[in-house]
Amino acid sequence: MTLRAIILTFLITATVYSCKQEQSSEVKQNTSETKEFSLPEWAISANLYELNTRQFSQEGNFQAIIDELPRLKSMGVDIIWLMPVQPISMKNRKAKGDLMVEDIDDPEERKKYLGSPYAVGDYLKINPDYGDPSKFKELVKKAHAQDMYLIIDWVPNHTGWDNPWITDHPEWYTKDDDGNIIDPIDYNTGKSWGWTDVADLNFDNQEMRQAMIDAMKFWLTEYDIDGFRVDVAHGVPQDFFDSLTPALTDVKDDIFLLAESNVESHRNNKTYHATYGWEFHHLMNEIARGEKPVKEIQHWYEKDKSRYKEGFHIHFTSNHDENTWAGTVFERMGDGHKALAVLAATLEGMPLVYNGQEEPLRKRLEFFVKDPIDWKDYAYTEFYKGLFDLKDDNKALWNGKHGSDPVFEYIDDKSIVFSRAKDDNKVIVILNLSKDAHAIPFSFNDKAFSEMNGKQLLTDEEGMIKMDPWSYLIYTK
């Protein structure tokens, strides 16, 4: 069989553990005796697209998402993750900083502040600003009809202050010595995280745990969603997830579960398929600023591989937290933002794109007010489609055990070359992750890689790959 080389070349122009518990990293077996916890077949080569309903469109509702499903499908999106779709609490709703909406005198000014989606007012209801239950069901069905899958954000660590649980079951919440319900505590300082718009749940209460499990099962049965991204999973005891996961998979066995955490037991206990690649993300930011050498990538990977025995990370250059609080990719990564997106999409795990990155999004989206993405020409669509298609078409890049581990062929302070291979498929990624032109002493002889249109493209006469600043090459066979 004749092998044909495909080369994708783009050159860059201008472009915590909670105080409530002590997590265990020991490997335990899933408590379910009836089903093996495994990645759904539909997620084996999948990517993830985070969607902020409020800011995704001028309308800020489910219908606007439905209208955009064909575009997202054509871009190669596989899984849509919706930020919380439940009602947002009014009580203690934040405006900005420490200012609460109820402290604003001007009624018209108060209307501007819509609160944090993570201050859930009712676990079982739909935010009326987004639509009604029938419209949400339509969104899920139409996503499925386009061979896309939909997961929702779930917030188990805390609720809004007017959630019915507050009134009906105050014993389900964490209280101070005077019996007052409190907001979540930073385990590092013993003081409030500053999330004063939410009330901390007490996972010592078994009734609350069961109610939480029942609420999550409701979304699987009532709306046929395909899984959950679990917010602040690092603040919830592992033994809750040991009970939760088999309960959910007994209802629907092909769901995808993502934990916002870097806690080993979340994956090693087979309670989540994936966790956040926070450490790697921060390393990419540091490399972009010139604060860390590129060779730290290999050090990170080897350490990380020793920690996690199951599952994989999601990797990203942006998400809702990073964009709003830390800055856009242009602020944090400068001219390196595309090269680092290539790295995040190919090194290991599942790539994540935040809504608007395909525009590209050049502003920080406000968190508590309506601040829609200014869609114009979708200039980066082909870039992200290329990365999504690359992953889908190359078995070596598939997720977790369905793909392969990277082999570091060459690495120095400025550049990296790694390969991934599975069966007859192989991908080689070459990146200059610096602001300087750089020559990389690397070559290989396989004509399936080095030949395109009859020209030798890989190395010069000295056997060096000469790379422009923040440039990259991807070779496949």
Side-chain angles (χ1 to χ4, degrees):
M1 177 179 180
T2 302
L3 296 173
R4 182 180 177 185
I6 304 169
I7 177 171
L8 295 142
T9 307
F10 303 88
L11 297 180
I12 304 307
T13 55
T15 2
V16 187
Y17 288 102
S18 169
C19 64
K20 290 186 277 187
Q21 44 118 33
E22 184 174 346
Q23 300 277 14
S24 169
S25 61
E26 295 179 359
V27 178
K28 302 176 182 178
Q29 295 300 314
N30 191 309
T31 56
S32 173
E33 297 180 356
T34 58
K35 295 180 181 178
E36 175 68 22
F37 182 70
S38 60
L39 187 66
E41 187 76 21
W42 54 262
I44 285 174
S45 63
N47 57 70
L48 187 61
Y49 184 91
E50 181 188 2
L51 197 151
N52 181 337
T53 303
R54 179 191 292 167
Q55 316 299 27
F56 183 68
S57 65
Q58 292 290 336
E59 299 85 355
N61 59 26
F62 296 142
Q63 182 60 53
I65 300 173
I66 292 171
D67 294 341
E68 289 295 301
L69 288 177
R71 178 182 71 80
L72 296 177
K73 176 64 177 179
S74 67
M75 195 172 84
V77 171
D78 296 314
I79 307 173
I80 297 172
W81 150 29
L82 292 183
M83 287 170 62
V85 298
Q86 292 98 340
I88 299 170
S89 285
M90 286 297 301
K91 184 178 180 181
N92 293 342
R93 177 176 287 190
K94 276 193 173 186
K96 49 188 175 182
D98 294 327
L99 180 67
M100 296 293 183
V101 173
E102 57 202 48
D103 295 327
I104 299 174
D105 294 329
D106 183 352
E108 291 303 312
E109 179 72 8
R110 283 202 299 270
K111 290 180 183 178
K112 289 170 39 179
Y113 297 102
L114 304 177
S116 166
Y118 294 88
V120 173
D122 192 318
Y123 281 120
L124 301 181
K125 293 184 178 179
I126 295 281
N127 187 334
D129 292 341
Y130 300 161
D132 59 21
S134 64
K135 185 58 68 174
F136 184 68
K137 287 180 180 179
E138 180 184 353
L139 170 58
V140 175
K141 288 180 180 179
K142 290 192 171 178
H144 289 168
Q146 299 249 11
D147 292 324
M148 291 188 288
Y149 297 83
L150 191 144
I151 68 174
I152 65 170
D153 230 317
W154 193 264
V155 190
N157 187 66
H158 46 261
T159 75
W161 286 96
D162 54 19
N163 189 295
W165 285 9
I166 291 266
T167 302
D168 298 342
H169 298 285
E171 71 278 10
W172 290 1
Y173 291 82
T174 307
K175 299 180 181 180
D176 63 18
D177 292 340
D178 296 324
N180 301 307
I181 296 174
I182 61 173
D183 52 271
I185 299 298
D186 179 352
Y187 71 94
N188 291 305
T189 65
K191 298 180 180 179
S192 169
W193 280 104
W195 306 341
T196 53
D197 54 345
V198 293
D200 193 62
L201 285 165
N202 178 10
F203 276 83
D204 290 336
N205 189 291
Q206 298 302 313
E207 289 185 354
M208 186 279 291
R209 289 184 176 217
Q210 187 58 53
M212 183 73 69
I213 292 172
D214 291 342
M216 296 179 77
K217 289 164 65 174
F218 167 82
W219 286 84
L220 295 176
T221 57
E222 181 68 16
Y223 295 106
D224 195 27
I225 63 168
D226 301 297
F228 299 93
R229 176 267 187 188
V230 177
D231 183 66
V232 194
H234 52 77
V236 175
Q238 175 62 49
D239 63 356
F240 172 69
F241 298 132
D242 291 335
S243 300
L244 171 69
T245 299
L248 297 181
T249 55
D250 280 344
V251 173
K252 187 174 182 179
D253 61 6
D254 63 341
I255 58 174
F256 176 65
L257 298 174
L258 165 63
E260 186 202 15
S261 80
N262 56 1
V263 177
E264 293 99 322
S265 61
H266 288 166
R267 281 163 44 186
N268 291 346
N269 281 34
K270 297 186 178 181
T271 52
Y272 283 95
H273 301 104
T275 52
Y276 268 45
W278 274 125
E279 291 183 14
F280 186 66
H281 176 75
H282 294 148
L283 175 59
M284 288 194 293
N285 283 335
E286 291 169 325
I287 290 172
R289 295 192 296 264
E291 297 171 358
K292 290 283 182 70
V294 173
K295 64 178 60 174
E296 286 297 319
I297 293 171
Q298 184 172 1
H299 298 158
W300 167 82
Y301 179 78
E302 291 171 351
K303 177 183 175 183
D304 191 81
K305 189 71 174 176
S306 71
R307 293 172 56 197
Y308 294 94
K309 309 305 179 186
E310 301 286 342
F312 51 88
H313 289 301
I314 61 161
H315 290 303
F316 48 87
T317 57
S318 189
N319 60 34
H320 70 272
D321 284 317
E322 284 295 281
N323 171 265
T324 296
W325 309 115
T328 69
V329 292
F330 301 98
E331 292 177 84
R332 290 179 287 102
M333 296 177 169
D335 289 345
H337 66 278
K338 276 190 173 180
L340 290 165
V342 170
L343 177 64
T346 57
L347 183 66
E348 72 99 33
M350 178 185 289
L352 163 73
V353 170
Y354 183 46
N355 58 191
Q357 286 193 266
E358 69 268 41
E359 174 51 32
L361 183 62
R362 294 182 180 272
K363 71 173 183 177
R364 301 187 187 196
L365 296 176
E366 295 287 340
F367 203 69
F368 301 110
V369 302
K370 178 68 177 158
D371 184 24
I373 297 166
D374 186 17
W375 297 105
K376 291 180 180 176
D377 56 9
Y378 306 90
Y380 281 22
T381 294
E382 290 304 312
F383 170 72
Y384 286 110
K385 175 177 171 52
L387 291 178
F388 290 164
D389 289 348
L390 177 75
K391 182 179 184 68
D392 192 54
D393 294 341
N394 291 275
K395 186 182 295 187
L397 302 183
W398 288 1
N399 297 317
K401 67 181 182 181
H402 300 283
S404 63
D405 294 334
V407 174
F408 295 92
E409 308 278 2
Y410 177 81
I411 191 166
D412 60 23
D413 287 349
K414 294 183 177 182
S415 63
I416 182 172
V417 181
F418 63 88
S419 64
R420 294 176 66 184
K422 186 154 188 174
D423 299 336
D424 293 331
N425 178 248
K426 188 170 184 178
V427 177
I428 295 179
V429 181
I430 306 168
L431 303 110
N432 177 8
L433 299 178
S434 76
K435 61 182 178 57
D436 304 312
H438 190 56
I440 302 172
F442 175 78
S443 65
F444 53 86
N445 297 319
D446 192 330
K447 297 294 185 182
F449 288 105
S450 61
E451 223 170 81
M452 180 179 178
N453 298 327
K455 296 180 181 179
Q456 298 290 329
L457 297 179
L458 186 62
T459 58
D460 63 13
E461 62 276 6
E462 298 174 351
M464 304 289 284
I465 308 170
K466 293 186 177 179
M467 303 285 287
D468 288 340
W470 299 111
S471 64
Y472 54 90
L473 298 167
I474 304 172
Y475 291 87
T476 71
K477 83 171 182 182

